C-alpha cells in the first residue's frame, strides 16, 4: 500500500500529498477568500486568488501543526518511511530480588544500574567458580587459581557490587 495508515484512515491521497495538508490548505484558502470578498468587499478576481493562496498557506501550516498534536511523530514517521521511528533501546531485565529490595522511591535509572551491577557480579562469580569442562563448584583457594583476566573482572565487579549490596540488603561478597 502506497499511502500511510494511522488507525484505519488513509492519510495520503493517491498523488502522495498529505490529507491534513490538503484539507487545511483548501479550508484556509476558502475561508480567507470568502472573508475578503464578503466582509472586506474585495472585488478583483486576482486579489481574491491571492487571498485564497495566503489562506491556503496559513491553513496548511495550521493543519500540519494540528496533526503533530494528534498523530504521534513516531507513528507518522513509521508510516511514511516504513520503519520504526525512534531509537530502539535494549530491554533490561530486573532480577526479582533487586526489584523486591529496591526502595519504593527508586527510579527506573536506579533499577537499571542496580540490575546491571548485580548481574555483572553474579556472572563474574560464576565465571570465577566454573572451570572449563567441569560443573560449577566452588574452587578452594589452595587449588588452581582462576585466570588473571577472570580474577580481575571478578574484583572489579565486587568493587562495584558492594555499595549496591549494602543499599539493597544483600550479603556482601
Amino acid at each position: 500500500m502506497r499511502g500511510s495508515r494511522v488507525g484505519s484512515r488513509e492519510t495520503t491521497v493517491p498523488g502522495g500529498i498529505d490529507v491534513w495538508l490538503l484539507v487545511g490548505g483548501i479550508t484556509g484558502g476558502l475561508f480567507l477568500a470568502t472573508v475578503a470578498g464578503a466582509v472586506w468587499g474585495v472585488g478583483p478576481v486576482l486579489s481574491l486568488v491571492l487571498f485564497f493562496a495566503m489562506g491556503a498557506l496559513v491553513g496548511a501550516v495550521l493543519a500540519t501543526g494540528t496533526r503533530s498534536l494528534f498523530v504521534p511523530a513516531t507513528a507518522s514517521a513509521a508510516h511514511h518511511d516504513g520503519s520504526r521511528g525512534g531509537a530502539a533501546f535494549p530491554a533490561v531485565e530486573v532480577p526479582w530480588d533487586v526489584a523486591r529490595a529496591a526502595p519504593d522511591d527508586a527510579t527506573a535509572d536506579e533499577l537499571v544500574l542496580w540490575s546491571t551491577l548485580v548481574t555483572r557480579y553474579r556472572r563474574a562469580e560464576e565465571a570465577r567458580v566454573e572451570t572449563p569442562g567441569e560443573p560449577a563448584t566452588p574452587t578452594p583457594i589452595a587449588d588452581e587459581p582462576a585466570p588473571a583476566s577472570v580474577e580481575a573482572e571478578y574484583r572489579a565487579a565486587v568493587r562495584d557490587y558492594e555499595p549496591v549490596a549494602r543499599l539493597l540488603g544483600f550479603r556482601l561478597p
Side-chain angles (χ1 to χ4, degrees):
M1 179 172 284
R2 235 180 102 187
S4 65
R5 292 188 146 292
V6 175
S8 63
R9 295 190 176 176
E10 191 73 24
T11 59
T12 58
V13 293
I17 298 173
D18 189 35
V19 170
W20 287 80
L21 212 65
L22 185 64
V23 171
I26 291 172
T27 304
L30 287 175
F31 175 76
L32 196 55
T34 302
V35 168
V39 177
W40 299 331
V42 175
V45 175
L46 182 60
S47 296
L48 289 175
V49 169
L50 289 175
F51 274 107
F52 180 85
M54 287 187 291
L57 180 65
V58 170
V61 168
L62 288 175
T64 302
T66 303
R67 178 188 56 193
S68 69
L69 292 175
F70 293 109
V71 178
T74 56
S76 178
H79 290 292
H80 284 293
D81 64 2
S83 65
R84 287 186 73 193
F89 295 106
V92 176
E93 290 186 25
V94 178
W96 66 269
D97 55 340
V98 173
R100 182 171 289 173
D104 290 337
D105 62 344
T107 64
D109 292 339
E110 291 170 334
L111 285 173
V112 168
L113 175 66
W114 297 334
S115 299
T116 303
L117 294 176
V118 168
T119 304
R120 178 180 168 213
Y121 167 73
R122 290 175 181 166
R123 287 184 182 158
E125 189 175 40
E126 287 176 11
R128 182 177 182 226
V129 170
E130 288 181 0
T131 56
E134 294 183 18
T137 56
T139 307
I141 296 175
D143 284 353
E144 191 175 302
S149 62
V150 173
E151 190 64 31
E153 177 63 29
Y154 175 75
R155 288 178 194 239
V158 166
R159 184 181 62 243
D160 294 338
Y161 172 75
E162 283 179 348
V164 175
R166 281 192 198 98
L167 176 73
L168 298 178
F170 296 157
R171 67 172 178 81
L172 292 173

mmCIF file of all heavy atoms in Angstrom, residues 80-129:
data_model
loop_
_atom_site.group_PDB
_atom_site.id
_atom_site.type_symbol
_atom_site.label_atom_id
_atom_site.label_comp_id
_atom_site.label_asym_id
_atom_site.label_seq_id
_atom_site.Cartn_x
_atom_site.Cartn_y
_atom_site.Cartn_z
ATOM 1 N N HIS A 80 5.340 6.746 7.073
ATOM 2 C CA HIS A 80 5.812 7.365 5.846
ATOM 3 C C HIS A 80 7.041 6.678 5.267
ATOM 4 O O HIS A 80 7.158 6.529 4.070
ATOM 5 C CB HIS A 80 6.101 8.854 6.056
ATOM 6 C CG HIS A 80 4.846 9.666 6.114
ATOM 7 N ND1 HIS A 80 4.023 9.840 5.031
ATOM 8 C CD2 HIS A 80 4.253 10.328 7.131
ATOM 9 C CE1 HIS A 80 2.990 10.586 5.364
ATOM 10 N NE2 HIS A 80 3.105 10.893 6.642
ATOM 11 N N ASP A 81 7.993 6.283 6.106
ATOM 12 C CA ASP A 81 9.192 5.663 5.556
ATOM 13 C C ASP A 81 9.248 4.155 5.783
ATOM 14 O O ASP A 81 10.219 3.512 5.416
ATOM 15 C CB ASP A 81 10.462 6.330 6.098
ATOM 16 C CG ASP A 81 10.635 6.157 7.595
ATOM 17 O OD1 ASP A 81 9.795 5.492 8.220
ATOM 18 O OD2 ASP A 81 11.625 6.682 8.130
ATOM 19 N N GLY A 82 8.246 3.579 6.390
ATOM 20 C CA GLY A 82 8.170 2.130 6.530
ATOM 21 C C GLY A 82 9.037 1.550 7.634
ATOM 22 O O GLY A 82 9.175 0.349 7.748
ATOM 23 N N SER A 83 9.650 2.370 8.449
ATOM 24 C CA SER A 83 10.492 1.859 9.532
ATOM 25 C C SER A 83 9.935 2.330 10.860
ATOM 26 O O SER A 83 9.099 3.214 10.921
ATOM 27 C CB SER A 83 11.931 2.354 9.361
ATOM 28 O OG SER A 83 11.967 3.765 9.497
ATOM 29 N N ARG A 84 10.438 1.743 11.931
ATOM 30 C CA ARG A 84 10.021 2.174 13.266
ATOM 31 C C ARG A 84 10.710 3.481 13.591
ATOM 32 O O ARG A 84 11.900 3.635 13.384
ATOM 33 C CB ARG A 84 10.410 1.138 14.308
ATOM 34 C CG ARG A 84 9.551 -0.103 14.258
ATOM 35 C CD ARG A 84 9.894 -1.013 15.381
ATOM 36 N NE ARG A 84 9.370 -0.428 16.603
ATOM 37 C CZ ARG A 84 9.695 -0.840 17.807
ATOM 38 N NH1 ARG A 84 10.522 -1.818 17.975
ATOM 39 N NH2 ARG A 84 9.195 -0.270 18.870
ATOM 40 N N GLY A 85 9.964 4.418 14.122
ATOM 41 C CA GLY A 85 10.540 5.696 14.496
ATOM 42 C C GLY A 85 11.282 5.592 15.814
ATOM 43 O O GLY A 85 10.993 4.758 16.649
ATOM 44 N N GLY A 86 12.259 6.463 16.004
ATOM 45 C CA GLY A 86 12.987 6.483 17.258
ATOM 46 C C GLY A 86 14.043 5.403 17.343
ATOM 47 O O GLY A 86 14.087 4.474 16.556
ATOM 48 N N ALA A 87 14.916 5.548 18.317
ATOM 49 C CA ALA A 87 15.971 4.562 18.517
ATOM 50 C C ALA A 87 15.465 3.441 19.414
ATOM 51 O O ALA A 87 14.742 3.675 20.370
ATOM 52 C CB ALA A 87 17.188 5.231 19.168
ATOM 53 N N ALA A 88 15.846 2.246 19.091
ATOM 54 C CA ALA A 88 15.447 1.102 19.904
ATOM 55 C C ALA A 88 16.480 0.890 21.009
ATOM 56 O O ALA A 88 17.679 0.874 20.754
ATOM 57 C CB ALA A 88 15.338 -0.141 19.042
ATOM 58 N N PHE A 89 16.005 0.746 22.230
ATOM 59 C CA PHE A 89 16.881 0.515 23.355
ATOM 60 C C PHE A 89 16.762 -0.943 23.783
ATOM 61 O O PHE A 89 15.687 -1.518 23.722
ATOM 62 C CB PHE A 89 16.514 1.426 24.529
ATOM 63 C CG PHE A 89 16.732 2.874 24.236
ATOM 64 C CD1 PHE A 89 15.663 3.713 23.996
ATOM 65 C CD2 PHE A 89 18.005 3.385 24.175
ATOM 66 C CE1 PHE A 89 15.861 5.037 23.712
ATOM 67 C CE2 PHE A 89 18.219 4.718 23.888
ATOM 68 C CZ PHE A 89 17.145 5.553 23.663
ATOM 69 N N PRO A 90 17.856 -1.527 24.229
ATOM 70 C CA PRO A 90 17.769 -2.919 24.677
ATOM 71 C C PRO A 90 16.955 -3.009 25.966
ATOM 72 O O PRO A 90 16.969 -2.101 26.790
ATOM 73 C CB PRO A 90 19.227 -3.311 24.921
ATOM 74 C CG PRO A 90 19.947 -2.019 25.131
ATOM 75 C CD PRO A 90 19.203 -0.981 24.329
ATOM 76 N N ALA A 91 16.236 -4.097 26.099
ATOM 77 C CA ALA A 91 15.444 -4.310 27.303
ATOM 78 C C ALA A 91 16.352 -4.737 28.445
ATOM 79 O O ALA A 91 17.337 -5.446 28.239
ATOM 80 C CB ALA A 91 14.393 -5.382 27.052
ATOM 81 N N VAL A 92 16.030 -4.285 29.632
ATOM 82 C CA VAL A 92 16.794 -4.652 30.817
ATOM 83 C C VAL A 92 15.877 -5.457 31.725
ATOM 84 O O VAL A 92 14.793 -5.006 32.074
ATOM 85 C CB VAL A 92 17.305 -3.403 31.562
ATOM 86 C CG1 VAL A 92 18.008 -3.789 32.844
ATOM 87 C CG2 VAL A 92 18.224 -2.601 30.672
ATOM 88 N N GLU A 93 16.302 -6.652 32.062
ATOM 89 C CA GLU A 93 15.537 -7.466 32.993
ATOM 90 C C GLU A 93 16.024 -7.172 34.403
ATOM 91 O O GLU A 93 17.212 -7.274 34.686
ATOM 92 C CB GLU A 93 15.714 -8.946 32.681
ATOM 93 C CG GLU A 93 15.041 -9.366 31.405
ATOM 94 C CD GLU A 93 15.108 -10.867 31.200
ATOM 95 O OE1 GLU A 93 15.232 -11.608 32.204
ATOM 96 O OE2 GLU A 93 15.035 -11.274 30.039
ATOM 97 N N VAL A 94 15.088 -6.806 35.257
ATOM 98 C CA VAL A 94 15.408 -6.531 36.647
ATOM 99 C C VAL A 94 15.159 -7.813 37.431
ATOM 100 O O VAL A 94 14.040 -8.315 37.463
ATOM 101 C CB VAL A 94 14.535 -5.390 37.201
ATOM 102 C CG1 VAL A 94 14.837 -5.134 38.666
ATOM 103 C CG2 VAL A 94 14.734 -4.128 36.381
ATOM 104 N N PRO A 95 16.214 -8.377 38.054
ATOM 105 C CA PRO A 95 16.007 -9.592 38.848
ATOM 106 C C PRO A 95 14.989 -9.331 39.951
ATOM 107 O O PRO A 95 14.908 -8.241 40.508
ATOM 108 C CB PRO A 95 17.399 -9.882 39.428
ATOM 109 C CG PRO A 95 18.355 -9.174 38.525
ATOM 110 C CD PRO A 95 17.625 -7.978 38.011
ATOM 111 N N TRP A 96 14.232 -10.371 40.269
ATOM 112 C CA TRP A 96 13.155 -10.213 41.243
ATOM 113 C C TRP A 96 13.668 -9.761 42.596
ATOM 114 O O TRP A 96 13.030 -8.976 43.291
ATOM 115 C CB TRP A 96 12.341 -11.505 41.374
ATOM 116 C CG TRP A 96 13.121 -12.638 41.969
ATOM 117 C CD1 TRP A 96 13.843 -13.565 41.305
ATOM 118 C CD2 TRP A 96 13.270 -12.930 43.353
ATOM 119 N NE1 TRP A 96 14.442 -14.428 42.180
ATOM 120 C CE2 TRP A 96 14.099 -14.060 43.461
ATOM 121 C CE3 TRP A 96 12.782 -12.363 44.527
ATOM 122 C CZ2 TRP A 96 14.459 -14.621 44.671
ATOM 123 C CZ3 TRP A 96 13.137 -12.929 45.734
ATOM 124 C CH2 TRP A 96 13.964 -14.050 45.797
ATOM 125 N N ASP A 97 14.842 -10.244 43.017
ATOM 126 C CA ASP A 97 15.343 -9.856 44.337
ATOM 127 C C ASP A 97 15.776 -8.396 44.360
ATOM 128 O O ASP A 97 15.636 -7.722 45.379
ATOM 129 C CB ASP A 97 16.469 -10.783 44.796
ATOM 130 C CG ASP A 97 17.612 -10.886 43.799
ATOM 131 O OD1 ASP A 97 17.403 -10.561 42.619
ATOM 132 O OD2 ASP A 97 18.716 -11.312 44.192
ATOM 133 N N VAL A 98 16.274 -7.887 43.231
ATOM 134 C CA VAL A 98 16.636 -6.464 43.159
ATOM 135 C C VAL A 98 15.363 -5.618 43.201
ATOM 136 O O VAL A 98 15.292 -4.622 43.924
ATOM 137 C CB VAL A 98 17.440 -6.169 41.877
ATOM 138 C CG1 VAL A 98 17.673 -4.674 41.699
ATOM 139 C CG2 VAL A 98 18.775 -6.901 41.901
ATOM 140 N N ALA A 99 14.347 -6.020 42.450
ATOM 141 C CA ALA A 99 13.088 -5.267 42.435
ATOM 142 C C ALA A 99 12.424 -5.271 43.806
ATOM 143 O O ALA A 99 11.884 -4.256 44.245
ATOM 144 C CB ALA A 99 12.146 -5.862 41.398
ATOM 145 N N ARG A 100 12.476 -6.411 44.490
ATOM 146 C CA ARG A 100 11.842 -6.510 45.800
ATOM 147 C C ARG A 100 12.608 -5.690 46.847
ATOM 148 O O ARG A 100 11.997 -5.077 47.723
ATOM 149 C CB ARG A 100 11.773 -7.972 46.236
ATOM 150 C CG ARG A 100 11.076 -8.143 47.577
ATOM 151 C CD ARG A 100 10.838 -9.569 47.889
ATOM 152 N NE ARG A 100 9.781 -10.029 46.979
ATOM 153 C CZ ARG A 100 9.385 -11.281 46.869
ATOM 154 N NH1 ARG A 100 9.962 -12.205 47.598
ATOM 155 N NH2 ARG A 100 8.428 -11.616 46.058
ATOM 156 N N ALA A 101 13.930 -5.677 46.776
ATOM 157 C CA ALA A 101 14.730 -4.986 47.788
ATOM 158 C C ALA A 101 14.881 -3.492 47.513
ATOM 159 O O ALA A 101 15.294 -2.750 48.393
ATOM 160 C CB ALA A 101 16.120 -5.631 47.867
ATOM 161 N N ALA A 102 14.539 -3.055 46.320
ATOM 162 C CA ALA A 102 14.707 -1.641 45.968
ATOM 163 C C ALA A 102 13.762 -0.768 46.791
ATOM 164 O O ALA A 102 12.643 -1.167 47.098
ATOM 165 C CB ALA A 102 14.432 -1.449 44.487
ATOM 166 N N PRO A 103 14.204 0.434 47.129
ATOM 167 C CA PRO A 103 13.325 1.358 47.847
ATOM 168 C C PRO A 103 12.105 1.715 46.997
ATOM 169 O O PRO A 103 12.144 1.639 45.773
ATOM 170 C CB PRO A 103 14.204 2.595 48.067
ATOM 171 C CG PRO A 103 15.602 2.148 47.851
ATOM 172 C CD PRO A 103 15.548 0.976 46.934
ATOM 173 N N ASP A 104 11.030 2.118 47.641
ATOM 174 C CA ASP A 104 9.795 2.446 46.930
ATOM 175 C C ASP A 104 9.950 3.644 46.000
ATOM 176 O O ASP A 104 9.260 3.745 44.996
ATOM 177 C CB ASP A 104 8.663 2.732 47.923
ATOM 178 C CG ASP A 104 8.214 1.468 48.634
ATOM 179 O OD1 ASP A 104 8.442 0.372 48.083
ATOM 180 O OD2 ASP A 104 7.653 1.586 49.742
ATOM 181 N N ASP A 105 10.846 4.550 46.334
ATOM 182 C CA ASP A 105 11.014 5.743 45.508
ATOM 183 C C ASP A 105 12.143 5.599 44.484
ATOM 184 O O ASP A 105 12.614 6.585 43.930
ATOM 185 C CB ASP A 105 11.253 6.970 46.383
ATOM 186 C CG ASP A 105 12.526 6.869 47.205
ATOM 187 O OD1 ASP A 105 13.061 5.749 47.336
ATOM 188 O OD2 ASP A 105 12.975 7.900 47.735
ATOM 189 N N ALA A 106 12.567 4.381 44.205
ATOM 190 C CA ALA A 106 13.644 4.144 43.238
ATOM 191 C C ALA A 106 13.172 4.488 41.828
ATOM 192 O O ALA A 106 12.044 4.178 41.445
ATOM 193 C CB ALA A 106 14.097 2.690 43.294
ATOM 194 N N THR A 107 14.044 5.120 41.071
ATOM 195 C CA THR A 107 13.712 5.461 39.691
ATOM 196 C C THR A 107 14.094 4.307 38.766
ATOM 197 O O THR A 107 14.804 3.379 39.165
ATOM 198 C CB THR A 107 14.464 6.727 39.250
ATOM 199 O OG1 THR A 107 15.870 6.457 39.262
ATOM 200 C CG2 THR A 107 14.152 7.903 40.166
ATOM 201 N N ALA A 108 13.636 4.382 37.551
ATOM 202 C CA ALA A 108 13.961 3.349 36.563
ATOM 203 C C ALA A 108 15.462 3.325 36.297
ATOM 204 O O ALA A 108 16.055 2.253 36.120
ATOM 205 C CB ALA A 108 13.199 3.601 35.270
ATOM 206 N N ASP A 109 16.092 4.489 36.281
ATOM 207 C CA ASP A 109 17.544 4.540 36.067
ATOM 208 C C ASP A 109 18.287 3.806 37.172
ATOM 209 O O ASP A 109 19.253 3.087 36.922
ATOM 210 C CB ASP A 109 18.029 5.995 35.992
ATOM 211 C CG ASP A 109 17.549 6.717 34.756
ATOM 212 O OD1 ASP A 109 17.196 6.032 33.775
ATOM 213 O OD2 ASP A 109 17.526 7.955 34.770
ATOM 214 N N GLU A 110 17.842 4.005 38.394
ATOM 215 C CA GLU A 110 18.487 3.313 39.511
ATOM 216 C C GLU A 110 18.284 1.808 39.419
ATOM 217 O O GLU A 110 19.214 1.033 39.652
ATOM 218 C CB GLU A 110 17.933 3.840 40.835
ATOM 219 C CG GLU A 110 18.343 5.266 41.132
ATOM 220 C CD GLU A 110 17.603 5.865 42.311
ATOM 221 O OE1 GLU A 110 16.474 5.426 42.614
ATOM 222 O OE2 GLU A 110 18.162 6.778 42.936
ATOM 223 N N LEU A 111 17.086 1.382 39.065
ATOM 224 C CA LEU A 111 16.837 -0.057 38.921
ATOM 225 C C LEU A 111 17.705 -0.664 37.824
ATOM 226 O O LEU A 111 18.227 -1.771 37.979
ATOM 227 C CB LEU A 111 15.358 -0.308 38.615
ATOM 228 C CG LEU A 111 14.404 -0.165 39.790
ATOM 229 C CD1 LEU A 111 12.968 -0.277 39.321
ATOM 230 C CD2 LEU A 111 14.704 -1.206 40.839
ATOM 231 N N VAL A 112 17.865 0.053 36.717
ATOM 232 C CA VAL A 112 18.719 -0.445 35.633
ATOM 233 C C VAL A 112 20.163 -0.543 36.103
ATOM 234 O O VAL A 112 20.845 -1.546 35.865
ATOM 235 C CB VAL A 112 18.606 0.468 34.393
ATOM 236 C CG1 VAL A 112 19.686 0.149 33.375
ATOM 237 C CG2 VAL A 112 17.235 0.341 33.762
ATOM 238 N N LEU A 113 20.650 0.473 36.798
ATOM 239 C CA LEU A 113 22.023 0.452 37.302
ATOM 240 C C LEU A 113 22.227 -0.688 38.291
ATOM 241 O O LEU A 113 23.179 -1.463 38.176
ATOM 242 C CB LEU A 113 22.364 1.786 37.962
ATOM 243 C CG LEU A 113 23.736 1.864 38.634
ATOM 244 C CD1 LEU A 113 24.839 1.750 37.595
ATOM 245 C CD2 LEU A 113 23.869 3.138 39.423
ATOM 246 N N TRP A 114 21.341 -0.815 39.253
ATOM 247 C CA TRP A 114 21.481 -1.875 40.253
ATOM 248 C C TRP A 114 21.393 -3.245 39.607
ATOM 249 O O TRP A 114 22.148 -4.150 39.945
ATOM 250 C CB TRP A 114 20.429 -1.725 41.337
ATOM 251 C CG TRP A 114 20.535 -0.454 42.127
ATOM 252 C CD1 TRP A 114 21.652 0.297 42.336
ATOM 253 C CD2 TRP A 114 19.483 0.219 42.796
ATOM 254 N NE1 TRP A 114 21.362 1.386 43.092
ATOM 255 C CE2 TRP A 114 20.023 1.374 43.399
ATOM 256 C CE3 TRP A 114 18.122 -0.024 42.952
ATOM 257 C CZ2 TRP A 114 19.271 2.271 44.135
ATOM 258 C CZ3 TRP A 114 17.363 0.864 43.693
ATOM 259 C CH2 TRP A 114 17.940 1.997 44.276
ATOM 260 N N SER A 115 20.465 -3.414 38.673
ATOM 261 C CA SER A 115 20.318 -4.706 37.991
ATOM 262 C C SER A 115 21.576 -5.052 37.214
ATOM 263 O O SER A 115 22.031 -6.198 37.225
ATOM 264 C CB SER A 115 19.131 -4.665 37.034
ATOM 265 O OG SER A 115 17.953 -4.408 37.734
ATOM 266 N N THR A 116 22.126 -4.058 36.539
ATOM 267 C CA THR A 116 23.341 -4.290 35.757
ATOM 268 C C THR A 116 24.497 -4.696 36.657
ATOM 269 O O THR A 116 25.230 -5.644 36.345
ATOM 270 C CB THR A 116 23.704 -3.020 34.962
ATOM 271 O OG1 THR A 116 22.585 -2.659 34.143
ATOM 272 C CG2 THR A 116 24.919 -3.242 34.096
ATOM 273 N N LEU A 117 24.678 -3.998 37.773
ATOM 274 C CA LEU A 117 25.791 -4.310 38.668
ATOM 275 C C LEU A 117 25.614 -5.659 39.358
ATOM 276 O O LEU A 117 26.578 -6.422 39.503
ATOM 277 C CB LEU A 117 25.963 -3.194 39.699
ATOM 278 C CG LEU A 117 26.405 -1.844 39.127
ATOM 279 C CD1 LEU A 117 26.441 -0.790 40.215
ATOM 280 C CD2 LEU A 117 27.749 -1.962 38.435
ATOM 281 N N VAL A 118 24.383 -5.975 39.760
ATOM 282 C CA VAL A 118 24.126 -7.267 40.407
ATOM 283 C C VAL A 118 24.344 -8.405 39.411
ATOM 284 O O VAL A 118 24.988 -9.411 39.722
ATOM 285 C CB VAL A 118 22.710 -7.310 41.014
ATOM 286 C CG1 VAL A 118 22.320 -8.706 41.414
ATOM 287 C CG2 VAL A 118 22.629 -6.375 42.212
ATOM 288 N N THR A 119 23.832 -8.241 38.204
ATOM 289 C CA THR A 119 24.008 -9.276 37.175
ATOM 290 C C THR A 119 25.469 -9.440 36.807
ATOM 291 O O THR A 119 25.958 -10.564 36.636
ATOM 292 C CB THR A 119 23.176 -8.920 35.926
ATOM 293 O OG1 THR A 119 21.813 -8.738 36.318
ATOM 294 C CG2 THR A 119 23.263 -9.994 34.884
ATOM 295 N N ARG A 120 26.183 -8.325 36.709
ATOM 296 C CA ARG A 120 27.621 -8.397 36.401
ATOM 297 C C ARG A 120 28.374 -9.147 37.490
ATOM 298 O O ARG A 120 29.230 -9.988 37.207
ATOM 299 C CB ARG A 120 28.176 -6.982 36.255
ATOM 300 C CG ARG A 120 29.651 -6.930 35.995
ATOM 301 C CD ARG A 120 30.120 -5.507 35.867
ATOM 302 N NE ARG A 120 31.557 -5.444 35.889
ATOM 303 C CZ ARG A 120 32.258 -4.451 36.400
ATOM 304 N NH1 ARG A 120 31.645 -3.403 36.903
ATOM 305 N NH2 ARG A 120 33.559 -4.487 36.401
ATOM 306 N N TYR A 121 28.049 -8.855 38.747
ATOM 307 C CA TYR A 121 28.708 -9.546 39.855
ATOM 308 C C TYR A 121 28.406 -11.046 39.814
ATOM 309 O O TYR A 121 29.300 -11.872 39.978
ATOM 310 C CB TYR A 121 28.268 -8.953 41.197
ATOM 311 C CG TYR A 121 28.657 -9.816 42.370
ATOM 312 C CD1 TYR A 121 29.985 -9.896 42.784
ATOM 313 C CD2 TYR A 121 27.711 -10.570 43.046
ATOM 314 C CE1 TYR A 121 30.350 -10.704 43.852
ATOM 315 C CE2 TYR A 121 28.061 -11.380 44.104
ATOM 316 C CZ TYR A 121 29.390 -11.449 44.503
ATOM 317 O OH TYR A 121 29.753 -12.254 45.549
ATOM 318 N N ARG A 122 27.155 -11.392 39.597
ATOM 319 C CA ARG A 122 26.778 -12.814 39.578
ATOM 320 C C ARG A 122 27.460 -13.559 38.435
ATOM 321 O O ARG A 122 27.900 -14.697 38.600
ATOM 322 C CB ARG A 122 25.266 -12.949 39.491
ATOM 323 C CG ARG A 122 24.590 -12.503 40.781
ATOM 324 C CD ARG A 122 23.094 -12.526 40.675
ATOM 325 N NE ARG A 122 22.488 -12.066 41.936
ATOM 326 C CZ ARG A 122 21.228 -11.730 42.071
ATOM 327 N NH1 ARG A 122 20.398 -11.808 41.044
ATOM 328 N NH2 ARG A 122 20.775 -11.321 43.237
ATOM 329 N N ARG A 123 27.549 -12.933 37.283
ATOM 330 C CA ARG A 123 28.238 -13.582 36.155
ATOM 331 C C ARG A 123 29.735 -13.719 36.417
ATOM 332 O O ARG A 123 30.337 -14.738 36.069
ATOM 333 C CB ARG A 123 27.995 -12.796 34.874
ATOM 334 C CG ARG A 123 26.600 -12.958 34.349
ATOM 335 C CD ARG A 123 26.411 -12.253 33.037
ATOM 336 N NE ARG A 123 25.037 -12.388 32.586
ATOM 337 C CZ ARG A 123 24.445 -11.583 31.738
ATOM 338 N NH1 ARG A 123 25.121 -10.575 31.216
ATOM 339 N NH2 ARG A 123 23.198 -11.775 31.396
ATOM 340 N N ALA A 124 30.343 -12.688 36.999
ATOM 341 C CA ALA A 124 31.773 -12.769 37.312
ATOM 342 C C ALA A 124 32.027 -13.840 38.359
ATOM 343 O O ALA A 124 33.033 -14.563 38.291
ATOM 344 C CB ALA A 124 32.279 -11.410 37.799
ATOM 345 N N GLU A 125 31.118 -13.976 39.323
ATOM 346 C CA GLU A 125 31.274 -15.005 40.344
ATOM 347 C C GLU A 125 31.152 -16.401 39.726
ATOM 348 O O GLU A 125 31.922 -17.300 40.047
ATOM 349 C CB GLU A 125 30.208 -14.803 41.432
ATOM 350 C CG GLU A 125 30.399 -15.665 42.649
ATOM 351 C CD GLU A 125 29.382 -15.330 43.721
ATOM 352 O OE1 GLU A 125 28.206 -15.086 43.382
ATOM 353 O OE2 GLU A 125 29.774 -15.320 44.898
ATOM 354 N N GLU A 126 30.197 -16.575 38.820
ATOM 355 C CA GLU A 126 30.054 -17.863 38.133
ATOM 356 C C GLU A 126 31.282 -18.179 37.286
ATOM 357 O O GLU A 126 31.756 -19.315 37.270
ATOM 358 C CB GLU A 126 28.804 -17.856 37.240
ATOM 359 C CG GLU A 126 27.513 -17.934 37.989
ATOM 360 C CD GLU A 126 26.312 -17.826 37.067
ATOM 361 O OE1 GLU A 126 26.490 -17.890 35.824
ATOM 362 O OE2 GLU A 126 25.201 -17.672 37.573
ATOM 363 N N ALA A 127 31.807 -17.179 36.586
ATOM 364 C CA ALA A 127 32.982 -17.402 35.745
ATOM 365 C C ALA A 127 34.197 -17.755 36.592
ATOM 366 O O ALA A 127 35.048 -18.546 36.179
ATOM 367 C CB ALA A 127 33.271 -16.159 34.902
ATOM 368 N N ARG A 128 34.280 -17.187 37.769
ATOM 369 C CA ARG A 128 35.411 -17.467 38.652
ATOM 370 C C ARG A 128 35.317 -18.876 39.216
ATOM 371 O O ARG A 128 36.326 -19.551 39.398
ATOM 372 C CB ARG A 128 35.423 -16.447 39.788
ATOM 373 C CG ARG A 128 36.572 -16.592 40.734
ATOM 374 C CD ARG A 128 36.504 -15.480 41.748
ATOM 375 N NE ARG A 128 37.625 -15.573 42.652
ATOM 376 C CZ ARG A 128 37.523 -15.461 43.958
ATOM 377 N NH1 ARG A 128 36.360 -15.239 44.511
ATOM 378 N NH2 ARG A 128 38.589 -15.562 44.712
ATOM 379 N N VAL A 129 34.095 -19.306 39.503
ATOM 380 C CA VAL A 129 33.881 -20.605 40.129
ATOM 381 C C VAL A 129 34.000 -21.736 39.113
ATOM 382 O O VAL A 129 34.548 -22.796 39.408
ATOM 383 C CB VAL A 129 32.497 -20.623 40.829
ATOM 384 C CG1 VAL A 129 32.144 -22.018 41.270
ATOM 385 C CG2 VAL A 129 32.505 -19.667 42.010
#
